[in-house]
Amino acid sequence: MQQNPHSTYREPRQALHACQSRNSTRPSMYAALHVPEIIRNICDFSDDNALTVLARTSRLVHETAIRVIWRTLPNLAPLAKCYPEDSWKIDGDQLNFIRPLVLKDWVSVLKYAPLVWRLGAVTVARKGPACVLGSGVWAAMCTSIPLRTVLFPNIRCISWQSTGLANEHLPTLLVVVGEHLVDVEVEGFPLETDVNGVLQTALHILSHRFPTLRFVKVACRPMVPLVDQGIASSFASLACSLSSLVRLRTWEIPICESAIYTLAQLKTLRFLELSLPADAQWTLRPQTLTHPFPNLMEIGMAGSAATYIGFSRALELSRVERLNLVIVDDSPPSLLPDVFASVRHQFSPTSLRDLAIFHPLELFDIIGPNSAAVVRGDHLRPLLDFRKLKLFNLELQFRYALDDALLCDMARAWPEIELLYLAYDEGFFHETLPSVRALPPFAVHCPRLRNLGVRFDARYWETLGRAAPNDRNVLEDIYGELTRRSSTSALETLYVGTSPISLPDDVAAFLARTFPELLDLSVGSFEESDVCGAMQEDWERVESLLQRFRRVREDERRRMDQEYI
């Protein structure tokens, strides 16, 4: 028989062998499901619906799928549903018990509770349960739990606010948690209504039962630090008892001087947010403390201006890269220059990358224009030594008197700056404003700047004649170093707040040339008046023209690319 020249296989035996090889790939696929690493990867990247299906339909992945499902609980409602169905019911969105619990009701609960690693931490794929616990459910569980039972022996992380339990139950939850706990977040706790000392009791439990905690966050309401010696003492004891601490965060509970010195000796501490004690004398520094906070990367501090100045003289933080400084009072004008000078003294110009100095939101309506303190350009000049800055944010609710010279020097001093915000929002009060001359230096000296927020006076052109804007001297006065070169600025967003403006066409042309990559012009809300309404319309006109300039520029680039091809 003549052989088909288009046949893939020369003999029937070879074709049969190839067919058998293709069919043999099906058993090998099932063999892969016996590899634990593959099963874990499949389950780790599956959402809850897929995990439920896997747990019910595949014997090979059932156990792993169940473990992943229970690893993270948004609250305790799923666990309460493990009690017999005749013991509970759901009214609306609340689950409540309808009979007392007995010992045999705990079989399924004690089977799945040890699988929980994170309680209250909602992942992206898991948007939370369909119901929450009723007010008496947790108390009923605590009174009926079998003796000497640790309900959550393997839990690692608790995010208290997301659990949905009442604040009074925080201590009882910590009592039924095993020794593997390393991460605790207590947010939104109302200190002003904690008359029974619930938070103090919880802090006491944490310090005695969990010495291996690595991440601790206590965020209360309000943000302004409160004076409660009992809570402060308990928190200091907790901080001093943790030898493996990596992150400690609290803005509202002042940490005493001795506790701060203890924390300064930890080699594991990388992130710290604390409230400074107002009564500290900073005279208790141990003689062995030669390099405080040796591995600290980020610090946030809340305190009055005088308190921070004293702290800055006690400890140098030469290795810190990020600083958030919260001033919690209306500082006397005489202390304002010392605040910025203290930042320069305490931190290293070669290490600091991000710097934010601001007031808490609770003080915005209290200070404002009534403050006697005025932030002037000379006050900020010590900060120009931080040559490696990538982010600078100044949001102190004082009055401001900034000028062109300061902004030009900032542009030259911070060549690596990426985000720069200078009290640009309409909520800040400026006695004097820099002019448009202050913007071109950022285009020349700050090639990485992407976001700039600054209030400036954009009425420069209203004093010029019709032909003056094209005059060489005028151009040099406005653009400076940018007069005889094209801008290569990468700025994408400009926040101008309620900057005064006139002749919007000239302002748009200026901004288009200075920041050719500008994508977003953010304008604040002007007050209701004829003058302010006209300025709001002028900025809208500028924004419209910038969009048109951008389309023209894109078309020109497209034309050049076509000519090059």
Side-chain angles (χ1 to χ4, degrees), residues 491-563:
L491 188 77
E492 297 176 349
T493 305
L494 177 63
Y495 302 91
V496 300
T498 54
S499 298
I501 182 177
S502 63
L503 300 178
D505 292 10
D506 292 321
V507 175
F510 166 78
L511 292 177
R513 180 182 175 187
T514 306
F515 304 118
E517 301 297 327
L518 188 62
L519 299 176
D520 183 20
L521 179 67
S522 180
V523 183
S525 299
F526 286 81
E527 297 178 356
E528 294 184 1
S529 67
D530 294 340
V531 175
C532 293
M535 290 186 179
Q536 189 91 50
E537 294 177 358
D538 285 347
W539 278 117
E540 292 174 359
R541 167 73 173 171
V542 170
E543 188 173 9
S544 176
L545 289 174
L546 287 175
Q547 294 176 357
R548 298 176 186 180
F549 293 159
R550 191 182 309 119
R551 288 194 293 268
V552 172
R553 187 177 290 111
E554 291 173 353
D555 186 69
E556 183 66 17
R557 290 172 178 169
R558 192 178 301 111
R559 184 184 66 83
M560 294 180 65
D561 291 340
Q562 292 173 354
E563 291 181 353

Side-chain angles (χ1 to χ4, degrees), residues 285-292:
R285 175 169 176 165
Q287 295 181 354
T288 57
L289 185 59
T290 56
H291 300 288

Side-chain angles (χ1 to χ4, degrees), residues 138-151:
W138 177 249
M141 293 174 62
C142 291
T143 55
S144 63
I145 190 171
L147 293 176
R148 300 183 180 87
T149 298
V150 178
L151 184 60

